[in-house]
Amino acid sequence: MTSIGAPEMVDWNLAVATATRLTRPGPDVSRDEARRIVAELRQHAQDSEAHVRAFTRMYGDGEEEGAPHGTPVLIVDRPGWVKANVAGFREVLKPLLGKMQARRPGGAGGAVLGTVGGKVTGVEVGMLLSFLSSRVLGQYETFAPATRELPAGPVKPAPGSSRAGRLLLVAPNIVHVERELDVDPHDFRLWVCLHEETHRTQFSAVPWLRDHIEGEIQGFLGETDLDASTVIERVREAVQSFSGTPSADDEPSDDGRSLVDLVQTPTQREILGRITAVMSLLEGHADFVMDGVGPEVVPSVGEIREKFTQRRASGAGRLDQALRRLLGLDAKLRQYRDGERFVRAVVERTGIDGFNRVWTSPNTLPTKAEIAKPADWIARVHAGRAES
């Protein structure tokens, strides 16, 4: 990412150290119980493959029914999740940070500025990851580097792919939530695995999806305005929006937008609209699948869904809600809801095979407007099937 000996724009090692130091310990479990939980999650992840594939009818090139995915499953603790995501951040942000590195003043002053700035940013990234590390139940890590050392050893790219995705299950968070909700732990663990396995199936069965999303993200980052005064002005506007302070032109603040939304160029907002649409699709599809498969294999799925939805909507307190809003996590909650409604509406009208036309190419992905109006997507992709 940088030349040999040059300070990086983000001190990633400090980010990991900061997050690890701030991350709260997980729930108390004995060593034997921890081993049983890890073994059960690994088994549920394996069993979920067949359930999800049968329900979605999605198979990758060369995959046959019953054949395992070519991507690994890792059961991690909170620090393990942090380390995995730092590696992903480094990969995705490499072009942007390289551009910023090139614009930095040369000489000793620039080196000192880079070192100090990298450490400050590293601490900030670490604090963010610490906050998130106790809230994520599972994750399909799409942008993992091609090969690197992990807690479970090196990961090799899947056949036919330049990089391997990975399925991460955060064991202490799953145990924490199942206890908080007071639900059957075995059912809840399988239910979570069904959601995350759907994400793994999406990316393994749709080979262009990873590159498409990465291209959109790189386009978003490439439009980043690196002029410091412009960035400061946008941050000021963001702070005013959240504090209720009127802006200079006396326009009302947009309280529905996060800091992430406000620090953008107009072009970035267009790109973000497309990214939001595809993420709504992926998250909504995963929720639809986990609930669709659930009645067959998760006896208490109704109770789990009801309690989990209430927890997802309410958050864990005022501070948690404020941080979720500031970071744009409330938008992610809307993605689950709106995306699931889109998927359900399309499947009801066209069947699962009709819905699966969404995976044909980037052109058949729904737009942000179509997520809200599934009939418009049906009219565009399935001409004549939408209601007039």
Side-chain angles (χ1 to χ4, degrees):
M1 182 165 61
T2 60
S3 60
I4 296 176
E8 296 192 56
M9 298 296 294
V10 179
D11 188 330
W12 296 107
N13 291 332
L14 182 57
V16 172
T18 300
T20 301
R21 185 176 67 254
L22 297 177
T23 296
R24 296 174 295 175
D28 291 331
V29 296
S30 67
R31 187 177 297 273
D32 288 342
E33 184 181 5
R35 290 195 184 101
R36 289 194 295 271
I37 291 169
V38 169
E40 182 175 17
L41 286 172
R42 196 174 299 281
Q43 184 63 52
H44 282 331
Q46 180 178 334
D47 294 341
S48 294
E49 289 188 33
H51 296 315
V52 169
R53 289 181 178 188
F55 185 84
T56 63
R57 303 180 194 174
M58 294 176 66
Y59 299 92
D61 293 340
E63 290 183 344
E64 297 179 357
E65 187 171 352
H69 285 304
T71 55
V73 177
L74 296 181
I75 315 300
V76 299
D77 58 10
R78 290 168 179 173
W81 180 86
V82 167
K83 292 175 184 177
N85 277 267
V86 163
F89 280 175
R90 293 185 72 164
E91 189 75 7
V92 172
L93 295 177
K94 189 181 297 183
L96 173 63
L97 295 183
K99 183 193 292 186
M100 294 176 69
Q101 180 85 14
R103 290 195 177 192
R104 194 166 61 198
V112 171
L113 177 63
T115 300
V116 173
K119 290 187 179 300
V120 171
T121 308
V123 170
E124 292 172 341
V125 171
M127 293 174 66
L128 172 61
L129 289 172
S130 173
F131 171 76
L132 295 175
S133 68
S134 63
R135 287 156 175 79
V136 176
L137 300 182
Q139 170 188 358
Y140 182 76
E141 195 191 4
T142 312
F143 303 114
T147 304
R148 66 178 180 277
E149 292 296 324
L150 297 167
V155 173
K156 298 179 180 179
S161 173
S162 59
R163 289 173 302 169
R166 306 180 297 176
L167 181 60
L168 306 179
L169 296 170
V170 190
N173 295 349
I174 294 173
V175 173
H176 171 76
V177 174
E178 69 191 28
R179 291 178 178 179
E180 181 182 284
L181 297 181
D182 190 24
V183 294
D184 183 282
H186 309 293
D187 284 2
F188 183 75
R189 293 166 195 172
L190 176 55
W191 189 70
V192 170
C193 287
L194 289 170
H195 180 103
E196 303 306 334
E197 175 58 36
T198 302
H199 288 316
R200 185 161 65 147
T201 296
Q202 289 163 348
F203 284 93
S204 64
V206 186
W208 53 264
L209 186 59
R210 176 188 287 109
D211 289 341
H212 171 72
I213 293 177
E214 183 173 15
E216 293 281 46
I217 292 173
Q218 294 303 334
F220 181 90
L221 296 176
E223 287 291 326
T224 298
D225 193 329
L226 299 175
D227 178 74
S229 62
T230 302
V231 173
I232 290 172
E233 176 63 21
R234 291 201 179 115
V235 171
R236 184 186 67 82
E237 293 173 0
V239 171
Q240 288 177 344
S241 175
F242 283 100
S243 66
T245 305
S247 58
D249 57 4
D250 204 31
E251 288 291 328
S253 62
D254 188 350
D255 292 334
R257 289 156 64 185
S258 71
L259 181 62
V260 176
D261 292 326
L262 289 168
V263 185
Q264 292 171 16
T265 66
T267 301
Q268 282 179 312
R269 289 175 186 162
E270 293 180 10
I271 298 173
L272 186 64
R274 297 195 297 268
I275 295 175
T276 298
V278 71
M279 296 310 295
S280 297
L281 171 69
L282 298 180
E283 296 293 358
H285 183 234
D287 265 13
F288 175 79
V289 172
M290 73 193 296
D291 288 343
V293 174
E296 296 288 333
V297 297
V298 182
S300 59
V301 64
E303 177 190 3
I304 291 173
R305 165 53 74 189
E306 181 180 0
K307 290 183 175 180
F308 190 78
T309 299
Q310 291 174 354
R311 180 185 186 275
R312 181 188 273 174
S314 64
R318 293 183 64 184
L319 177 60
D320 183 71
Q321 291 176 20
L323 287 170
R324 289 193 324 182
R325 182 180 176 192
L326 182 64
L327 297 172
L329 300 182
D330 279 343
K332 184 173 179 63
L333 300 184
R334 291 193 296 273
Q335 289 173 5
Y336 288 103
R337 180 193 64 213
D338 297 343
E340 195 274 341
R341 288 175 179 170
F342 170 84
V343 175
R344 186 173 300 279
V346 173
V347 171
E348 287 176 354
R349 292 293 311 280
T350 69
I352 194 69
D353 292 327
F355 166 78
N356 280 342
R357 291 185 65 177
V358 77
W359 312 116
T360 304
S361 75
N363 292 330
T364 56
L365 291 173
T367 64
K368 189 175 180 180
E370 288 171 341
I371 288 288
K373 295 183 178 180
D376 290 352
W377 181 86
I378 296 173
R380 179 169 64 87
V381 178
H382 295 267
R385 296 201 63 166
E387 294 179 356
S388 57

